[in-house]
Amino acid sequence: MSSAVDLVVHPLTKWQGPLDLPDFARIGDGDFGPVFDAALKAHEAEIDAIAGNSETPTIENTLAALELAGEPLDHVSSIFWCRAGAHTNEDIQALERDISPKMSRHFSAISMNEKLFARIDDLYQRREVLKLDAETLRVLEKTWKGFVRSGARLDADGKKRLARINEELSSLGTSFGQNVLADERDWALFLDEADLSGLPDFLKSAMAQAAEMRGQKGRYAVTLSRSIYEPFSTFSERRDLREIAFRAFTMRGQNGGASDNTSVVRDMLKLRAEKAKLLGYGSFAALKLDDTMAKTPKAVHALLDPVWEKALEKAASDQKELERLAAEAGSNEKFAAWDWRFYQEKLRAEKFAFDEAELKPYLQLDRIIEACFDVATRLFGISFEEKHGIAAWHPDARVFVVKNADGSERGLFLADYFARPSKRSGAWMSALKSGYTLGQGSQPVIYNIMNFAKPPAGEAALLSVDEAKTLFHEFGHALHGMLTEVTWPSVSGTSVSRDFVELPSQLYEHWLTVPAVLEKHALHVKTGKPMPKDLLDKMLAARTFGAGFATVEFTASALIDMAYHARPDAPSEPLRFETETLDRLDMPDTIAMRHRTPHFGHVFAGDGYSAGYYSYMWSEVLDADAFAAFEETGDPFNPALAERLKQNIYAAGGSKDPEELYTAFRGKMPSPEAMMVKRGLV
């Protein structure tokens, strides 16, 4: 181990801050590199000791030892990747480019360690006679399969090549994410008062704040953060400016120069196809889907294709209505993609007699956070207490202690809500520590990252309905991490198959629009009065409004992801392949994919949702059916059902097969019908 770093006392690995958090005030950017090197060496030594053990393999000396090894590496990694996503800078980005391939090499070496695999294989072959409990058996089976899928059975040359592929993919994924962040950070459209026709006050405030953050006080900035870009596209009466913003938004990662992702995507697809072939799979999608509920690309298409057809029909009929409104407004221009949100909002106002701007004053960020907590208390009996004055990775990050109904501490929840140039776009949940009972056990420390527009000092942050849903969604993921009650770290919280992981998050969104929740928490920012019943009724009636547009933009992205990865080879020109595939699918030219290839971070900024973007819709089939269970009882907080939901979905992690868990909650597996109805497609 490096003598320069003592992992036993270093603030990156021995957390001694308030509430046993990392002491962020004592952590400098320059600390990460040496600590990573020392932690990698320490983990390597632990692995060598497990692999070289001369005793007969047991669950304790092999499987448990493997699960508990590498705590210092886990600690430094969790802080670093949090910083890399939520508050980065040039030093952190340089480190990311250095650490990503190192980590890939390290974990490739572990999964291809012949002595270690021999011990795991020995346990696996004897699993029937070891009298294991169900969770331990599942962990052993998943571990064995993970080794095999990571190349444990390849010959020496195959292992070497696979390790090299993984290392290159890791570096390319890092480059992809940094390139998108650079395009988002470096682009802004600065406007003056005369350019703001049609924009509501909440958006003007956010744009003024964004301009001030970029050194242009007194002006207004359109940025590529969705929290500004989407409302600007919805309300701006300046068609020329909407077009400029649309083109910038859809061309992220495809602007030529150092931040262009064209070659990055090409190389990643080629390496993924080679990896799948090396491991004996017909395509990268076949490799990735092997460990999911869907199992095969055919099953994914059985879900996506009928939805696509219905979405195209709905979008076509909606577009006729939007073109009518444009003509009535005196527009002689051909209807274009930068017109859709603008006229869709006008159509909403015509059909339901309200617009998004009327809702926003009732959706204060702090009130919606309270609503998230309130629902969790009513369903699961946990409560949240904010602790002020505790330093985290950025001054905007907030810290909450999570308590059980009996007052005992369950874990910590941290949340970082506002957009800034140092944060990658989007919203996500992750963990500084996961919860489990193996060994000395660990309490979960879970965090949510958002990108809401930050208001000027003294003003309340106001959310759109979609942003409020995003808050509930990510908090649903956080609950999956916080409520976990498992023994083994590798099946804790969100460590479940990719097409099951979105169930707890998407299901939680349903409680945002429960009338009792809105009546209590949707209070006007100035008057403090609840949302009027007629506005609430209109909002609920309009829930499926715009389903054609939303479903086309999502499903197009899912179909492109599958098209890239379900073929045995890789397209030589991915962006041309994207265009040709969309043409074949009859994609309307008036709607853009939710995530075009050059900025499709889910799929290319790492391996997370590659061949897996469909999983949001797969989980949506489950979540629509799961919430219907509550609706059938007439009580959205039905205690008996909430207890079954907690035990089988939120607390169970990956301890059992997802179909078994869902069936234990609901009694049966669902069909896609409830999801289609929920989306307003049938």
Side-chain angles (χ1 to χ4, degrees):
M1 190 192 300
S2 167
S3 59
V5 175
D6 186 346
L7 297 176
V8 176
V9 297
H10 198 283
L12 276 169
T13 50
K14 179 69 174 174
W15 295 357
Q16 293 179 309
L19 305 177
D20 293 327
L21 281 168
D23 188 349
F24 284 96
R26 290 177 57 213
I27 295 168
D29 292 352
D31 293 336
F32 285 107
V35 173
F36 260 112
D37 287 343
L40 285 164
K41 280 183 184 166
H43 191 211
E44 198 177 311
E46 287 179 280
I47 296 298
D48 288 345
I50 299 164
N53 190 338
S54 58
E55 294 174 15
T56 301
T58 64
I59 293 297
E60 289 71 29
N61 71 21
T62 302
L63 191 65
L66 180 61
E67 291 255 333
L68 294 171
E71 187 182 271
L73 184 58
D74 288 343
H75 281 189
V76 64
S77 296
S78 66
I79 300 171
F80 180 76
W81 296 115
C82 175
R83 278 289 312 276
H87 190 40
T88 193
N89 57 39
E90 287 184 6
D91 291 340
I92 293 290
Q93 290 191 324
L95 274 165
E96 202 180 353
R97 293 190 292 272
D98 178 52
I99 287 164
S100 291
K102 271 186 191 171
M103 292 282 276
S104 176
R105 279 197 298 275
H106 176 73
F107 285 104
S108 285
I110 292 172
S111 58
M112 296 175 195
N113 183 315
E114 289 180 16
K115 286 183 180 175
L116 182 61
F117 178 62
R119 292 182 70 81
I120 295 291
D121 191 46
D122 178 284
L123 290 171
Y124 180 75
Q125 302 306 334
R126 291 189 288 123
R127 67 194 182 282
E128 301 298 337
V129 298
L130 290 175
K131 296 190 172 64
L132 305 177
D133 64 83
E135 185 184 328
T136 303
L137 177 61
R138 183 163 169 81
V139 169
L140 175 58
E141 289 173 342
K142 282 174 73 71
T143 303
W144 183 86
K145 193 168 189 178
F147 270 84
V148 172
R149 284 158 51 87
S150 300
R153 290 175 145 179
L154 294 176
D155 63 20
D157 286 347
K159 284 178 177 169
K160 199 171 170 184
R161 179 59 192 149
L162 183 60
R164 184 71 192 136
I165 288 171
N166 287 337
E167 190 180 328
E168 287 181 41
L169 282 171
S170 179
S171 293
L172 288 165
T174 297
S175 297
F176 184 98
Q178 291 188 0
N179 288 344
V180 176
L181 180 63
D183 276 9
E184 289 172 347
R185 183 191 62 221
D186 296 344
W187 190 91
L189 177 62
F190 292 103
L191 304 177
D192 297 306
E193 193 73 44
D195 305 313
L196 307 184
S197 181
L199 302 189
D201 290 344
F202 74 82
L203 182 55
K204 290 181 191 175
S205 288
M207 288 168 61
Q209 181 75 0
E212 190 173 334
M213 283 171 77
R214 288 160 177 77
Q216 295 260 5
K217 190 170 183 179
R219 300 191 78 198
Y220 302 85
V222 182
T223 69
L224 299 182
S225 165
R226 278 191 193 272
S227 61
I228 287 181
Y229 164 74
E230 288 189 355
F232 181 80
S233 304
T234 300
F235 294 111
S236 174
E237 289 173 9
R238 287 282 301 276
R239 189 174 192 266
D240 57 329
L241 300 180
R242 296 200 310 264
E243 180 179 0
I244 291 168
F246 172 85
R247 293 194 184 281
F249 192 77
T250 54
M251 290 299 286
R252 289 169 295 152
Q254 196 189 346
N255 290 305
S259 64
D260 193 283
N261 273 328
T262 307
S263 62
V264 177
V265 170
R266 182 196 64 216
D267 294 347
M268 287 185 86
L269 290 172
K270 193 175 170 190
L271 288 165
R272 284 173 176 174
E274 186 187 349
K275 176 176 178 172
K277 192 174 179 184
L278 197 56
L279 289 168
Y281 290 87
S283 67
F284 186 73
L287 166 64
K288 282 299 293 285
L289 293 170
D290 187 34
D291 192 30
T292 63
M293 294 180 80
K295 301 286 190 285
T296 64
K298 187 179 176 185
V300 173
H301 278 285
L303 170 66
L304 293 180
D305 293 350
V307 173
W308 179 248
E309 293 307 317
K310 291 244 184 326
L312 286 180
E313 286 170 25
K314 186 80 177 70
S317 75
D318 287 350
Q319 187 172 322
K320 288 194 177 80
E321 290 273 83
L322 303 184
E323 286 171 338
R324 169 184 64 78
L325 285 178
E328 286 171 5
S331 171
N332 299 316
E333 311 276 358
K334 183 178 182 295
F335 190 83
W338 46 91
D339 295 320
W340 195 293
R341 289 181 194 278
F342 180 73
Y343 286 107
Q344 184 164 272
E345 192 56 32
K346 299 261 186 279
L347 184 61
R348 186 209 307 270
E350 181 185 278
K351 282 193 168 190
F352 300 100
F354 83 99
D355 64 25
E356 274 278 353
E358 276 183 82
L359 291 174
K360 272 230 172 181
Y362 293 97
L363 299 174
Q364 300 173 59
L365 172 60
D366 282 343
R367 295 283 189 189
I368 300 302
I369 294 167
E370 283 174 22
C372 275
F373 293 170
D374 187 21
V375 170
T377 302
R378 293 183 68 181
L379 285 172
F380 306 126
I382 57 172
S383 59
F384 299 81
E385 182 187 337
E386 185 161 12
K387 297 291 186 182
H388 298 280
I390 295 175
W393 54 87
H394 186 274
D396 283 348
R398 298 164 66 176
V399 180
F400 302 86
V401 173
V402 187
K403 293 186 175 175
N404 294 307
D406 64 5
S408 61
E409 195 172 306
R410 175 170 276 275
L412 298 175
F413 173 61
L414 287 77
D416 182 356
Y417 293 110
F418 297 121
R420 53 180 171 263
S422 66
K423 185 192 279 189
R424 72 173 166 85
S425 63
W428 64 96
M429 163 269 182
S430 193
L432 290 178
K433 284 202 299 188
S434 55
Y436 54 86
T437 61
L438 189 70
Q440 295 180 339
S442 168
Q443 280 198 332
V445 180
I446 306 298
Y447 63 89
N448 274 172
I449 307 289
M450 308 287 161
N451 268 284
F452 303 137
K454 191 170 188 176
E459 288 187 27
L462 303 177
L463 306 183
S464 67
V465 175
D466 280 349
E467 287 173 328
K469 276 186 186 167
T470 297
L471 188 69
F472 264 71
H473 178 101
E474 296 306 334
F475 190 71
H477 280 309
L479 285 173
H480 202 184
M482 290 184 282
L483 290 170
T484 192
E485 291 175 2
V486 300
T487 302
W488 293 84
S490 63
V491 292
S492 172
T494 56
S495 298
V496 298
S497 71
R498 181 60 69 193
D499 47 14
F500 192 65
V501 79
E502 296 300 334
L503 169 60
S505 53
Q506 291 178 187
L507 175 57
Y508 206 69
E509 290 178 36
H510 289 265
W511 275 277
L512 169 65
T513 48
V514 167
V517 174
L518 286 169
E519 284 159 14
K520 182 177 177 183
H521 297 285
L523 307 180
H524 195 280
V525 65
K526 291 201 170 112
T527 67
K529 290 183 177 173
M531 187 183 289
K533 186 167 187 319
D534 67 328
L535 183 57
L536 174 59
D537 290 344
K538 288 172 189 174
M539 185 189 113
L540 294 175
R543 267 186 297 193
T544 62
F545 177 76
F549 173 84
T551 309
V552 165
E553 66 163 12
F554 168 83
T555 314
S557 298
L559 288 166
I560 288 289
D561 170 35
M562 206 42 66
Y564 279 139
H565 293 114
R567 47 186 284 168
D569 57 355
S572 56
E573 295 179 59
L575 297 184
R576 196 170 103 188
F577 179 76
E578 176 192 87
T579 303
E580 289 169 352
T581 304
L582 292 175
D583 286 348
R584 181 171 52 77
L585 290 167
D586 297 321
M587 175 79 170
D589 62 2
T590 50
I591 303 178
M593 293 166 65
R594 185 158 182 81
H595 307 282
R596 283 199 56 241
T597 299
H599 51 258
F600 202 166
H602 285 78
V603 169
F604 294 110
D607 198 27
Y609 283 82
S610 55
Y613 193 63
Y614 78 91
S615 58
Y616 287 95
M617 190 169 282
W618 188 277
S619 291
E620 195 178 342
V621 173
L622 301 174
D623 82 64
D625 179 67
F627 194 69
F630 283 90
E631 291 178 316
E632 286 159 15
T633 72
D635 178 4
F637 297 98
N638 181 288
L641 208 50
E643 181 60 25
R644 283 220 308 271
L645 180 66
K646 180 184 175 184
Q647 293 308 324
N648 295 297
I649 307 297
Y650 285 92
S655 61
K656 293 179 182 172
D657 179 81
E659 283 197 25
E660 187 184 335
L661 290 173
Y662 190 81
T663 306
F665 162 65
R666 188 66 164 111
K668 61 180 174 47
M669 289 298 289
S671 78
E673 278 308 301
M675 180 271 291
M676 297 266 220
V677 170
K678 176 194 149 196
R679 276 191 173 243
L681 296 175
V682 291

